[in-house]
Amino acid sequence: MREQIITRDIIANPKSKYGDAKASTRHFIIQRTTGAINIVFLILLLYVVMKLAGSDRANMVATIGNGWIGIPLAVLLVIATIHMRNGMRDVLEDYFAGRVYSLIMMLNTMFCIIIAVAGVASILKLVFWG
């Protein structure tokens, strides 16, 4: 089967099937939703940063160890890593294609998962075990 070369005319034609419409819509909605949630959580993050500015380690552990602050921070970290993965996907789509894109996206996903797991585990350790 001959592979069709995708040109600007094919992409601009609304009758052509280019890409996965459901995946693109899901990506768009997730990116906007996580961005909006990050803005809401920014208030909490600013509060924590202002409260901890100039504090010693014991005060930082006590503040982040508070469940009302630590658990929302853990949720913020997960949402921020999802937002980061999707944002990097947009950049990687512009520069890579084929197997290289798949490999780079897998590495991007693994990096985001490692960051989320390490951060959430650290925060939850402070919340539950001090």
Side-chain angles (χ1 to χ4, degrees):
M1 189 170 154
R2 189 171 164 222
E3 194 173 317
Q4 181 181 11
I5 297 174
I6 299 182
T7 63
R8 209 173 263 220
D9 295 329
I10 292 173
I11 295 171
N13 182 0
K15 293 183 180 179
S16 69
K17 176 68 175 161
Y18 180 72
D20 186 358
K22 290 181 181 177
S24 297
T25 302
R26 182 178 55 247
H27 173 76
F28 178 85
I29 290 170
I30 289 173
Q31 192 70 356
R32 297 318 181 268
T33 304
T34 56
I37 292 170
N38 285 339
I39 291 171
V40 172
F41 272 110
L42 184 65
I43 297 167
L44 171 68
L45 187 61
L46 288 174
Y47 167 76
V48 171
V49 168
M50 295 297 285
K51 183 173 172 140
L52 295 178
S55 295
D56 59 347
R57 184 184 185 283
N59 191 22
M60 288 183 187
V61 169
T63 301
I64 296 174
N66 180 353
W68 292 104
I69 293 176
I71 292 178
L73 279 178
V75 171
L76 170 63
L77 185 63
V78 170
I79 293 169
T81 54
I82 291 169
H83 187 77
M84 176 176 66
R85 181 193 173 275
N86 282 339
M88 284 304 299
R89 175 184 161 197
D90 292 339
V91 173
L92 295 173
E93 283 175 347
D94 292 339
Y95 294 103
F96 299 101
R99 290 180 182 238
V100 174
Y101 171 75
S102 298
L103 174 67
I104 300 272
M105 264 311 290
M106 181 188 66
L107 293 173
N108 178 41
T109 302
M110 287 182 359
F111 175 75
C112 293
I113 289 171
I114 290 168
I115 294 296
V117 168
V120 168
S122 300
I123 292 171
L124 292 181
K125 181 201 174 286
L126 288 176
V127 170
F128 294 111
W129 296 284

